[in-house]
Amino acid sequence: MLDRLDADGEQTVGALADALDERLHNISQHLAVLRSAGAVSRRHHGRQVFYRLSDPVAMPVYEHVAAGLRAESIRLNQLIDRRE
């Protein structure tokens, strides 16, 4: 989701849901968490709400954290597979 906001700029919940093939509810929940963490901000335009990265300069940090989480997930799955 952060990648999409970084690449495409401001997006509505509906546009993100379509682009990511996810339910609106899931996207809304993720955006709420990202907003509370300060990663995204929003602006209202009529009835629509547009989300954007709060600080695009921080994107490399987000990518680094995501890569670390993916690596840890793989490592844990390998441990589980060995135990079975």
Side-chain angles (χ1 to χ4, degrees):
M1 187 177 316
L2 293 173
D3 290 339
R4 179 68 60 173
L5 291 172
D6 185 44
D8 299 336
E10 282 189 332
Q11 298 283 310
T12 63
V13 175
L16 285 167
D18 289 343
L20 300 171
D21 196 28
E22 285 285 340
R23 293 184 357 212
L24 286 171
H25 178 74
N26 290 346
I27 296 296
S28 291
Q29 286 186 332
H30 286 293
L31 286 169
V33 170
L34 291 169
R35 189 167 166 259
S36 70
V40 299
S41 56
R42 67 182 181 183
R43 74 172 175 89
H44 294 268
H45 183 74
R47 294 181 53 138
Q48 291 189 309
V49 180
F50 291 85
Y51 288 86
R52 65 186 171 280
L53 290 178
S54 293
D55 185 2
V57 175
M59 193 62 196
V61 174
Y62 302 145
E63 290 169 344
H64 181 72
V65 170
L69 291 171
R70 280 191 294 276
E72 187 64 14
S73 176
I74 290 168
R75 188 184 74 75
L76 290 173
N77 283 331
Q78 290 170 342
L79 287 172
I80 291 169
D81 289 345
R82 283 189 214 146
R83 292 185 75 190
E84 292 177 351

